Amino acid sequence: MKWSEFFVTGEPLIYAADVAIVLTMVGIVFVLTYFKKWKWLWNEWLTTVDHKKIGVMYIICAVLMLFRGGVDALLMRAQLTAPNMKFLDAQHYNEIFTTHGTIMILFMAMPFIIGLMNIVVPLQIGARDVAFPYLNALSFWLFFFGALLFNISFVIGGSPDAGWTAYFPLAGNEFSHGVGNNYYAVALQISGIGTLMTGINFLVTILKMRAPGMTLMRMPMFTWTILITCVLIIFAFPVLTVALALMTFDRVFGTQFFTMANGGMSMLWANLFWIWGHPEVYIVILPSFGIFSEVVSTFAQKRLFGYKAMVGSIVGIAFLSFIVWVHHFFTMGAGPAVNSAFSITTMAIAIPTGVKIFNWLFTIRKGKIRFTTAMLWSLAFIPNFVIGGVTGVMLAMAAADYQYHNSYFLIAHFHYVLIAGTVFACFAGLHYWYPKMFGHILNERLGKWTFWLFMIGFNVCFFPMYFLGLMGMTRRMYTYSAGLGWTPLNVVATVGAVLMGIGFIVLCYNIYYSARYGERDMTGDPWNGRTLEWATASPPVHYNFPVTPVVEDVDAYWVMKKKYGGFHVKEEDLKPIHMPSNSGRPFWMSVAFFVAGFGLVFKWFALAIVGALFIVLGLILRSFEDDDGYHIPVDEIKRMERAARKGA
Amino acid sequence: MKWARWRAVLVLPFLFLFGGCVERTAVLNPQGPVARMQYDLIMWSVGFMLFIIVVVFTLFAVFLIRYREKPENAGYEPPDEEGNTLLEVVWTAIPILIVAALAVPTVKATFALEKPPTEKVKPITIHVTAANWKWIFSYPEENIETVNYVHIPAGVPVKFKLTSVGPMNSFWVPELGGQKYAMDGMETELILQADKPGSYMGRSANFSGEKFAHMEFEVVAQTGTDFRKWVNEVKQTAPKLDEKKYTQILKPGLVGRMTFSNTHLQWIDHAKQNSHHADGKPMKNDDQSDEAMTNSHHHGE
Amino acid sequence: MGEAAHRYDETLPLEYRTQESRLNILGFWIFLGAEVALFATLFATYLVLFQRTGSGPTAGELFEVQDVLIETLLLLTSSFTCGLAIFEMRRGRISGLIAWLLVTLLLGAGFITFEIREFIHYVHEGATMQTSAFLSSFFVLVGTHGAHVSVGIGWMILIIIQLLQRGFTPKTARKVFIVSLYWHFLDVVWIFIFTLVYLLGMVI
């Protein structure tokens, strides 16, 4: 391979990006060296096994990826603002929509959700950490280096360009000659392994490590949704693992799974992809439902309405999510009987989802609603998600779907469910749990600005797309001709996208502003919360709870406050606390995955083997490791508790 | 009151939207029985969806306004209610009824779309081959072939037999009806019909690579006599297509409209086999006869 | 973690005594659930593609009955000896445990040897992964299982070394137990491969 092919060249945008990347890296290295922070970075973050710090790192990555995916989106909107625009060429546009989709789902929504669940779930169930803290660190670093591998395709070798669905034969060797789709296959594989391990980890954590008294039917709703999400991950992600492995074999080793000759079958890819892909959207939406449940209940100052029905409906949705995948390609011609069956299963998802909507509404009813930023996001979710939901039912009707399929109607629908569902939830969760993460509150005034800009921008951007779809505009077109009547609505959509971008900037400014001037949370319970995470200090001491709390009801902390005036710890009850040791191995093993992956992408097999050997070495070292963690002595706990509770 | 002001701000962009931006084209302008059946189904569902939206939005607005925290209700303590079984049953049952009301016509229409809309007229068959990035239309009975445009008789059901030499495309003429995929080594069938003579735009709805956005074609519906006249004219005036020329057409890129007085089906039918080399050259039938046996996979039958 | 991690229960078998061990064993069961999903996907892929042989050989023309029978015999026996190893562990006899583990991994190594021989044979007949969709799916399905068995062998070696170094501890006992779960699981997968790949291939 020539160097000129190794680095992406020929585009001023790319050169600017190259410069920006180099400058940023130099800047980071300089700052770390100047302030002598290398050691701090290694000891406190890169080697940590603390679920709260891992969660924070997930969220930082997710926000960065939201920026990257958002810039992709703005570039696309700029190109589509007017007919026959010359801003981006076809190839460029194709790469951008591919990376936009892949990044937003797998490297933004997933880590944001996983980050929040890392921070919150152990706190909500009264645990000191997750079941497998070491594995948790490995999950994060695999995600991180998977995302990094995917992102460097932008400047090294070229980005994937066959859409985030990477349908064959377009994504196969026959039509995609560069390394772009190798990046797709390998990077998603690496981060997917991390996600699978997270699923196992949290399932065991929730099943086995709940505080005494917390039966399954007393778990906070967010924890419930995570439990079900883990089950989805465990059964859906292996399908992705296989699909991506087969893709890698086809592209790197010349097998014939999805090729056009020698018996290959491209439809198989579409099936495998969506057997994973549909549960995947529920993997990002169910935790969002959990976040909304927590926030709505807290700020309506009222118990969640219909708890049992809520649990039943998430189980129902999770089950249905595995038997609807064909609705992503009704137009493949599988026959009317198959299409009808999948139409009905798909529409059936509306039933448990409807149950949830009404239960949220009735949680608000008779409540005393406080319009905090987190609550605004959660409330806005209801009408916006209903619009996305009902259009989803319309799309589920096979005969009608032939007219919606792959049009902007579809684009509008899934942005309405994924943004109003997942992104609103991430923002709600971020504002809600921010004091738990960092000890200060995100500024409410700036938060509301973000909310209104983003929410209005979102509607202005995506609502017109329903009509663009009905007017015949198909997705993934890099340009369109004048005279089709699509221009005015496209202009409106671009305006909306810009508003969303401004909203994001305000959010970033808010993070900076609040870090400097934000109100410190000295109580640990700034929102008058109902669940156990609010019984800890903000931010919690790394062992979370000095003694394990005892749970008496769903809203465990609420009951504690009512009955006992809070969560009180007697110093004589303290016992030494066992904690896991930090380890640098998850980090360097993930680097080895990155190296092996990079070798595979470029078919530099020697490099891939070197990476693989280091992975094996890491596994062997882990097997022989005899580190059982350490104990925090009682005096130390007393000291830390006094320090953490200073303000209370 | 603050909330009402916020809602007003929200409604403004939509008013702006509906005031003239939406044109009744494509799906909203059905020009044949297939598209009309789908349009009716869409409108049937829109009714229910608007009902759901109105119910949810009303409850939402009422609850938000009534139960917000305000100075007057500072001492109010929300009740500790766990739920209400009757209500749960109600809001489970109503969606089930709505889903049923949508499922029945959906299933009916989904089956109906696989058959010609009318039994009285004998349908005509046109083979459609998607290639990078053009549409090739072959008329096996008339023995003519066109590229990037197609003539059909109005009032007659047209059976489009879809296949592809390369990436998957989707054949979509929104004014005449919904789409179906065209895939390599497979054959799918889409039946469309135009009510009256006219010109309808079609395009690929499934991303198939670099110049996919330009994969447009025109469907020209004519009266029966005009269509016959056109066929005869093509037969007399259009050049013959040979394998060399055909291979050239298949090369990735854009081409204009073309017309030929024979079809490529006489030497290759891409639907019947895995038939492709990476360079876009079709293989010979006899090279592949074994494979054609094992791989012919007729879909959608 | 916390106190719970060191809650020690004498009444349970050695591998279940610490909370950490109980978590690990449950986690591994769940991991096996994910493995079931993984192999199910590979089987589904194989069943979709196994008649799409292109210009390559069909399953009936290709498969070597003798090698496959030997492989089956070796692996099934190894699952039995692995069970004996756990039996010895429950009786507290470390030498018996190690001896049966060694027998198990030797049988596993025999299985792998015959499988590699079988693969080499196919490749010599011109049936490679690249020949047809059928062969791609065959090699990937059976090869994934073979790779799992190889990992299992390496893993067992590591555990035997640890047993020799540390003797019976709740931790080594738990590791032995988990690797035995893994080994039995691979045995079950092989039974499916034997029926759905080899038997089916020779019948159709």
Side-chain angles (χ1 to χ4, degrees), chain C residues 9-25:
Chain C
D9 189 344
E10 288 282 355
T11 60
L12 293 168
L14 190 57
E15 67 270 18
Y16 277 106
R17 282 190 192 161
T18 65
Q19 167 83 355
E20 193 193 351
S21 289
R22 290 192 286 273
L23 292 180
N24 281 353
I25 291 170

Side-chain angles (χ1 to χ4, degrees), chain A residues 101-397:
Chain A
T102 315
I103 285 178
M104 285 301 203
I105 289 279
L106 286 148
F107 301 128
M108 190 286 285
M110 288 293 286
F112 218 130
I113 295 289
I114 293 177
L116 289 172
M117 89 195 210
N118 256 290
I119 292 161
V120 178
V121 167
L123 293 173
Q124 275 197 337
I125 62 173
R128 294 237 161 87
D129 206 323
V130 294
F132 313 116
Y134 173 91
L135 195 66
N136 200 23
L138 189 58
S139 288
F140 169 73
W141 289 110
L142 285 177
F143 150 73
F144 178 87
F145 283 102
L148 189 67
L149 189 62
F150 189 83
N151 276 280
I152 61 165
S153 69
F154 180 49
V155 287
I156 296 177
S159 300
D161 57 358
W164 89 281
T165 50
Y167 273 15
F168 280 80
L170 184 62
N173 282 331
E174 287 124 325
F175 296 100
S176 163
H177 304 292
V179 295
N181 281 294
N182 296 357
Y183 271 117
Y184 174 94
V186 177
L188 264 57
Q189 186 71 281
I190 293 173
S191 64
I193 295 168
T195 307
L196 182 58
M197 297 192 312
T198 300
I200 296 171
N201 203 344
F202 277 80
L203 185 56
V204 177
T205 306
I206 296 172
L207 287 179
K208 284 284 187 186
M209 295 175 70
R210 299 190 309 276
M214 186 180 280
T215 57
L216 283 176
M217 292 311 274
R218 281 184 191 165
M219 288 197 311
M221 192 48 62
F222 180 64
T223 300
W224 251 115
T225 58
I226 296 298
L227 175 72
I228 300 300
T229 302
C230 288
V231 176
L232 287 182
I233 287 176
I234 288 158
F235 288 107
F237 266 76
V239 183
L240 178 73
T241 304
V242 170
L244 291 172
L246 303 188
M247 183 181 189
T248 312
F249 274 113
D250 259 18
R251 289 193 53 88
V252 179
F253 301 111
T255 54
Q256 309 285 351
F257 288 103
F258 313 121
T259 56
M260 299 200 302
N262 298 314
M265 193 183 194
S266 54
M267 292 191 309
L268 180 63
W269 167 265
N271 277 280
L272 292 178
F273 183 85
W274 287 115
I275 289 174
W276 161 76
H278 201 84
E280 163 67 12
V281 298
Y282 287 91
I283 289 169
V284 294
I285 210 74
L286 287 182
S288 309
F289 289 171
I291 294 169
F292 293 131
S293 299
E294 300 292 336
V295 174
V296 165
S297 164
T298 299
F299 294 112
Q301 311 192 58
K302 196 163 153 286
R303 176 196 283 272
L304 187 67
F305 195 86
Y307 178 88
K308 282 181 196 151
M310 289 299 231
V311 172
S313 55
I314 41 177
V315 175
I317 292 170
F319 171 73
L320 287 171
S321 76
F322 277 101
I323 50 169
V324 297
W325 80 92
V326 170
H327 72 221
H328 294 275
F329 43 84
F330 280 143
T331 52
M332 204 176 256
V338 173
N339 281 356
S340 297
F342 279 91
S343 271
I344 293 169
T345 53
T346 307
M347 283 191 257
I349 290 188
I351 299 162
T353 314
V355 169
K356 297 193 79 73
I357 296 279
F358 284 107
N359 277 304
W360 283 314
L361 285 175
F362 275 70
T363 307
I364 296 169
R365 182 169 162 266
K366 296 191 190 162
K368 194 159 82 171
I369 306 164
R370 287 156 60 200
F371 289 97
T372 57
T373 309
M375 186 62 164
L376 285 177
W377 285 113
S378 305
L379 291 173
F381 150 78
I382 292 174
N384 286 303
F385 190 81
V386 165
I387 293 173
V390 296
T391 49
V393 174
M394 292 168 73
L395 277 154
M397 301 162 68

Side-chain angles (χ1 to χ4, degrees), chain A residues 305 351 354-355 358-359 362, chain B residues 86-95:
Chain A
F305 195 86
I351 299 162
V355 169
F358 284 107
N359 277 304
F362 275 70
Chain B
L86 181 67
L87 280 174
E88 300 289 347
V89 171
V90 168
W91 58 55
T92 311
I94 292 174

Side-chain angles (χ1 to χ4, degrees), chain C residues 9 24 39 58 63 65 69 95 102 109 119 161 165 172 180 182 193 196 199 202:
Chain C
D9 189 344
N24 281 353
F39 276 103
T58 63
F63 290 154
V65 193
L69 280 176
S95 53
L102 281 171
F119 281 11
I161 297 171
Q165 282 177 342
T172 50
S180 79
Y182 181 75
I193 290 181
L196 288 175
L199 285 186
M202 284 184 266

Side-chain angles (χ1 to χ4, degrees), chain A residues 486-597:
Chain A
W486 298 347
T487 316
L489 291 180
N490 271 304
V491 173
V492 174
T494 304
V495 171
V498 171
L499 285 178
M500 290 167 83
I502 298 171
F504 178 76
I505 293 170
V506 176
L507 174 71
C508 293
Y509 175 70
N510 194 0
I511 289 171
Y512 160 80
Y513 176 88
S514 304
R516 290 203 62 168
Y517 313 108
E519 182 192 333
R520 307 290 127 170
D521 171 34
M522 307 311 280
T523 61
D525 181 22
W527 313 120
N528 196 7
R530 310 176 75 84
T531 40
L532 281 179
E533 71 268 33
W534 305 110
T536 62
S538 288
V541 192
H542 67 289
Y543 50 72
N544 295 350
F545 298 93
V547 298
T548 308
V550 178
V551 173
E552 295 177 29
D553 199 355
V554 178
D555 293 328
Y557 187 48
W558 186 261
V559 173
M560 276 181 200
K561 284 191 281 190
K562 286 265 161 255
K563 272 192 173 169
Y564 315 110
F567 175 51
H568 299 297
V569 180
K570 292 197 207 88
E571 290 201 339
E572 59 267 28
D573 289 345
L574 294 176
K575 288 194 193 91
I577 294 175
H578 175 259
M579 293 302 289
S581 313
N582 283 2
S583 173
R585 204 178 304 113
F587 180 80
W588 68 250
M589 266 178 81
S590 303
V591 172
F593 266 96
F594 178 85
V595 171

Side-chain angles (χ1 to χ4, degrees), chain B residues 8 47 54 138 242 284:
Chain B
V54 167
S138 320
D242 56 24
K284 285 275 166 45

Side-chain angles (χ1 to χ4, degrees), chain B:
Chain B
M1 191 192 56
K2 237 178 171 183
W3 183 247
R5 207 176 68 218
W6 291 340
R7 295 302 298 185
V9 174
L10 273 186
V11 169
L12 271 179
F14 299 117
L15 286 179
F16 168 58
L17 255 177
F18 287 111
C21 284
V22 180
E23 289 178 38
R24 284 182 70 99
T25 57
V27 179
L28 302 173
N29 180 32
Q31 291 296 318
V34 174
R36 206 170 314 109
M37 184 192 284
Q38 290 165 327
Y39 181 82
D40 292 343
L41 188 62
I42 290 170
M43 287 306 144
W44 170 256
S45 66
V46 165
F48 284 100
M49 299 310 147
L50 285 177
F51 167 73
I52 294 169
I53 287 179
V54 167
V55 169
V56 173
F57 280 38
T58 310
L59 286 176
F60 180 71
V62 169
F63 292 168
L64 277 198
I65 293 165
R66 268 196 69 179
Y67 299 108
R68 69 193 195 285
E69 187 175 51
K70 48 202 162 192
E72 302 97 271
N73 69 358
Y76 170 65
E77 177 121 354
D80 192 35
E81 51 176 1
E82 295 204 359
N84 184 319
T85 314
L86 181 67
L87 280 174
E88 300 289 347
V89 171
V90 168
W91 58 55
T92 311
I94 292 174
I96 289 176
L97 293 177
I98 294 176
V99 166
L102 295 173
V104 172
T106 299
V107 172
K108 271 190 191 163
T110 307
F111 276 88
L113 289 174
E114 302 296 318
K115 290 191 284 283
T118 167
E119 300 274 295
K120 290 178 207 128
V121 193
K122 189 176 163 285
I124 72 158
T125 301
I126 300 175
H127 285 250
V128 181
T129 308
N132 273 350
W133 291 275
K134 68 274 297 176
W135 292 96
I136 302 162
F137 300 91
S138 320
Y139 298 69
E141 285 150 50
E142 291 76 8
N143 198 32
I144 56 171
E145 182 150 309
T146 58
V147 176
N148 286 340
Y149 78 104
V150 59
H151 281 235
I152 59 167
V156 178
V158 186
K159 281 188 179 172
F160 289 102
K161 305 266 189 191
L162 312 173
T163 188
S164 165
V165 223
M168 190 168 92
N169 279 286
S170 195
F171 181 84
W172 191 28
V173 191
E175 272 150 355
L176 300 185
Q179 61 197 289
K180 207 167 255 184
Y181 287 163
M183 293 173 287
D184 184 81
M186 324 243 171
E187 185 172 275
T188 46
E189 187 183 88
L190 178 66
I191 302 170
L192 299 177
Q193 183 180 325
D195 285 334
K196 50 184 189 293
S199 159
Y200 310 105
M201 281 308 288
R203 66 175 62 252
S204 173
N206 193 72
F207 179 62
S208 56
E210 195 188 344
K211 300 206 166 61
F212 143 81
H214 302 293
M215 269 184 86
E216 293 172 339
F217 58 93
E218 187 190 4
V219 181
V220 181
Q222 298 172 300
T223 60
T225 24
D226 283 351
F227 178 70
R228 283 283 134 218
K229 220 158 75 187
W230 173 76
V231 169
N232 285 330
E233 202 183 292
V234 168
K235 280 180 157 235
Q236 279 154 24
T237 58
K240 286 265 181 227
L241 177 67
D242 56 24
E243 294 194 42
K244 207 173 128 219
K245 175 76 182 159
Y246 184 64
T247 310
Q248 218 175 4
I249 294 174
L250 289 187
K251 283 209 174 106
L254 298 177
V255 296
R257 293 184 182 193
M258 291 186 228
T259 316
F260 300 101
S261 56
N262 59 334
T263 76
H264 73 270
L265 297 174
Q266 56 199 96
W267 63 85
I268 189 163
D269 181 350
H270 303 285
K272 299 260 155 54
Q273 54 196 289
N274 272 161
S275 59
H276 202 265
H277 285 314
D279 56 6
K281 243 185 271 164
M283 286 180 188
K284 285 275 166 45
N285 264 346
D286 44 356
D287 289 345
Q288 291 278 306
S289 51
D290 284 354
E291 215 178 279
M293 298 288 286
T294 45
N295 280 327
S296 65
H297 183 104
H298 290 260
H299 222 69
E301 288 178 4

